[in-house]
Amino acid sequence: MLRKIGNLIKINSSTEELQVPPGQYETDKFPVMTFGNTPSIDVHLWEFNIFGLIDNPMTLNWKQFTSLQNTKVTADFHCVTQWSRTGDEWEGILFNDLMTLIQPRPEARFVMVHCYGGYTTNLGLDVLTDRNVLFAHRLNGTQINKDHGGPLRLVVPKRYAWKSAKWVNGLEFMGTDTPGFWESQGYHMEGNPLLEQRFDFND
Ligand SMILES: Nc1nc2c(c(=O)[nH]1)N[C@H]1C(S)=C(S)[C@@H](COP(=O)(O)O)O[C@H]1N2
Ligand SMILES: [Mo]
């Protein structure tokens, strides 16, 4: 479902997933799941770097990034530790709207997402260009607080939530799929909750 209200586009992807994925239970709680320290970020100093296999590497400041088209996305959120939230309304910049600014090289098929604090996670460009992937600065009508990834976090509704990186500050376009922080410790490279791709300790 896609509605345009004034200058704000609304996408409801929550209804695309009719039930919580296998092995998950629904909760209204919103636990904070952070490895390591929680960074405090001043938006005046905030920078977002786009680099790697791309013809026009760039750095955007807060104003430049948040003046891109804003969209509200209703989506579900699935932590690999088995809790799921449904129907949250995130607001921010769609990955696809950021993509209109950049020219990845044809061989760029994967992206390493970088964060303040050093956390990373890898995603296929095909996954990131799904219509409901966004960089969110608001959640359910208020600014995202720093525990939940403020000022800006990635939200990838169709992957386990460890791929929804908090405090994002960069995208690195890559030709081969390279494990991020949790993926290099046995978490699945894809992490699709509908397929229960939680861990992959086979190799
Ligand atoms: N930078 C960063 N992003 C992160 C994490 C983290 O430790 N650092 N934890 C991930 C995990 S495992 C989950 S479940 C979600 C949790 O988001 P929340 O703390 O807002 O609930 O953030 C993900 N993004
Ligand atoms: Mo998680």
Side-chain angles (χ1 to χ4, degrees):
M1 197 202 311
L2 201 152
R3 289 194 289 149
K4 180 145 185 166
I5 303 154
N7 200 25
L8 199 68
I9 295 171
K10 281 199 177 196
I11 295 173
N12 188 347
S13 66
S14 197
T15 51
E16 285 171 12
E17 292 110 52
L18 295 174
Q19 57 194 29
V20 294
Q24 296 290 114
Y25 67 90
E26 201 177 335
T27 180
D28 290 335
K29 298 204 180 97
F30 204 157
V32 171
M33 310 291 280
T34 299
F35 184 89
N37 297 323
T38 298
S40 288
I41 301 149
D42 178 351
V43 292
H44 298 102
L45 303 174
W46 183 94
E47 278 190 344
F48 192 93
N49 293 298
I50 308 173
F51 60 104
L53 298 174
I54 164 178
D55 283 334
N56 57 340
M58 64 176 77
T59 300
L60 298 171
N61 66 28
W62 183 255
K63 200 163 172 222
Q64 292 167 326
F65 199 101
T66 54
S67 356
L68 296 170
Q69 170 71 57
N70 275 245
T71 300
K72 285 185 177 175
V73 175
T74 304
D76 303 341
F77 193 80
H78 312 292
C79 176
V80 73
T81 63
Q82 299 191 295
W83 56 270
S84 288
R85 288 174 59 83
T86 58
D88 281 313
E89 187 185 70
W90 302 94
E91 180 178 340
I93 292 86
L94 292 180
F95 185 86
N96 284 336
D97 284 330
L98 181 67
M99 281 294 280
T100 62
L101 302 184
I102 53 187
Q103 285 115 40
R105 304 224 179 102
E107 63 273 27
R109 291 180 44 233
F110 302 93
V111 173
M112 188 67 80
V113 181
H114 292 267
C115 303
Y116 284 99
Y119 186 90
T120 53
T121 190
N122 56 300
L123 284 149
L125 198 48
D126 57 336
V127 174
L128 285 167
T129 50
D130 193 2
R131 59 196 281 277
N132 61 8
V133 173
L134 81 163
F135 297 97
H137 51 83
R138 293 175 76 79
L139 166 63
N140 297 327
T142 50
Q143 280 189 348
I144 299 179
N145 66 31
K146 67 178 178 182
D147 285 335
H148 288 300
L152 193 79
R153 80 176 298 164
L154 181 63
V155 179
V156 187
K158 290 182 187 158
R159 291 295 176 264
Y160 282 119
W162 84 76
K163 302 264 187 194
S164 288
K166 304 195 279 191
W167 317 295
V168 279
N169 72 352
L171 299 176
E172 178 183 0
F173 286 81
M174 311 184 295
T176 49
D177 200 8
T178 311
F181 175 74
W182 282 120
E183 293 84 2
S184 64
Q185 298 181 61
Y187 282 38
H188 201 282
M189 292 289 270
E190 295 272 344
N192 182 343
L194 296 176
L195 303 177
E196 281 216 77
Q197 294 172 330
R198 296 173 190 274
F199 309 104
D200 188 2
F201 295 117
N202 295 326
D203 47 348

